[in-house]
């Protein structure tokens, strides 16, 4: 058994900070990575060499970049629950039917994570791609999920991440959010009226299994298009139908993952 100590934990943290830096800035030189993280170049080089040896970092000349081995890890996380993979075709269908941006969002460590994103013919591209993390309280998908969590879990998430304001209409008061979540629970649909991004509205419905929310289907678009009956009724009805089918399939889903012998 490996002995755990502060040095070992810090080393792991440093390696992941290097990975995150490469994700954010793209290919970079050793000196640039070290400067970004305020690390000695010798320390940075040791971490990069280890990551390179394990094929998690690639090198092109003097520049380091994320290795494609991460693609397999990302795919494994994205499909760890069979129900997650089932949602993709529904997200694609919602994007095509509405012409807007559709997504499936799940909660992880108290944040919302975009697992599937599709853009329709009129969609505004606002930079929310697969893997993007968001606060739950300010998005329709996040509220659809929180509304079906026990109050204790909601409080844990709010204690950890707070209620930061992202737009003019973001709910930043805990009691007001509780009231909003109660309304979401009663009507089965959540709305985001310029609460996450100014000028952007959204609506979402939870996807449940055994009464527990495993994620949410959502559609978002410009507030001048997503408004009135289109926002309040028509799009939610599309999503409710999709969620109902998903819930039936998810209940009986089984892990059919491949057991092929492949190079890890």
């Amino acid at each position: 058994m490996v002995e755990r100590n502060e040095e070992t934990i810090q080393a792991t943290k440093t390696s992941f900070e290097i990975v995150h830096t490469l994700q954010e800035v793209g290919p970079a030189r050793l000196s640039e990575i070290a400067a970004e993280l305020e690390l000695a170049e010798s320390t940075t080089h040791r971490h990069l060499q280890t990551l390179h040896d394990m094929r998690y970092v690639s090198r092109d000349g003097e520049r380091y970049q994320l290795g494609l081995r991460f693609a397999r890890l990302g795919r494994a996380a994205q499909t760890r629950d069979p129900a997650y993979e089932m949602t993709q075709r529904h997200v694609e269908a919602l994007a095509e039917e509405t012409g807007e941006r559709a997504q499936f969002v799940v909660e992880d460590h108290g944040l919302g994570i975009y697992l599937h994103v599709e853009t329709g013919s009129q969609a505004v591209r606002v930079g929310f791609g697969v893997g993007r993390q968001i606060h739950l309280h300010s998005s329709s998908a996040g509220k659809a999920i929180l509304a079906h969590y026990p109050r204790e879990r909601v409080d844990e998430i709010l204690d950890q991440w707070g209620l930061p304001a992202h737009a003019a209409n973001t709910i930043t008061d805990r009691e007001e959010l509780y009231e909003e979540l109660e309304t979401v629970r009663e009507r089965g649909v959540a709305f985001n009226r310029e609460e996450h991004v100014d000028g952007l509205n959204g609506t979402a419905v939870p996807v449940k299994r055994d009464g527990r929310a495993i994620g949410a289907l959502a559609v978002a678009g410009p507030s001048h298009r997503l408004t009135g009956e289109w926002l309040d009724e028509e799009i939610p009805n599309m999503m409710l139908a999709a969620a109902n089918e998903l819930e039936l399939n998810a209940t009986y889903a089984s892990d059919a993952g491949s057991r092929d012998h492949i190079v890890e």
Side-chain angles (χ1 to χ4, degrees), residues 127-224:
F128 297 132
V130 171
R132 178 69 179 266
Q133 299 180 110
I134 58 168
H135 290 102
L136 295 171
H137 71 286
S138 61
S139 72
S140 58
K143 288 190 284 186
I145 293 170
L146 289 176
H148 293 83
Y149 275 7
R151 173 65 69 85
E152 294 77 12
R153 178 57 182 150
V154 175
D155 283 335
E156 288 176 359
I157 291 172
L158 298 184
D159 289 343
Q160 181 178 8
W161 297 105
L163 291 162
H166 295 292
N169 296 333
T170 304
I171 296 175
T172 57
D173 178 79
R174 192 174 290 215
E175 291 304 321
E176 183 181 350
L177 179 63
Y178 291 151
E179 292 177 8
E180 174 77 1
L181 296 181
E182 181 62 32
T183 301
V184 172
R185 199 157 37 244
E186 290 173 355
R187 68 189 173 200
V189 179
F191 294 99
N192 157 23
R193 303 180 193 275
E194 298 189 65
E195 297 171 47
H196 191 64
V197 176
D198 290 323
L200 202 71
N201 284 349
T203 180
V205 301
V207 176
K208 294 179 285 185
R209 180 172 55 204
D210 300 325
R212 183 180 68 86
I214 60 173
L217 287 170
V219 171
S223 55
H224 69 272

Side-chain angles (χ1 to χ4, degrees), residues 26-70:
R29 292 182 172 86
L30 168 63
S31 58
E32 295 169 336
I33 299 168
E36 179 72 22
L37 296 174
E38 298 182 350
L39 294 171
E41 290 192 16
S42 58
T43 300
T44 306
H45 181 264
R46 287 198 298 272
H47 284 276
L48 284 168
Q49 189 60 52
T50 301
L51 289 166
H52 182 273
D53 290 346
M54 296 183 69
R55 308 194 310 282
Y56 288 115
V57 164
S58 299
R59 186 173 179 177
D60 184 5
E62 295 184 355
R63 294 184 178 274
Y64 294 89
Q65 59 190 358
L66 292 183
L68 292 178
R69 193 175 189 189
F70 275 114

Side-chain angles (χ1 to χ4, degrees), residues 106-119:
V106 301
E107 179 266 321
D108 187 61
H109 290 272
L111 294 172
I113 310 294
Y114 286 82
L115 282 194
H116 297 295
V117 179
E118 291 293 335
T119 53

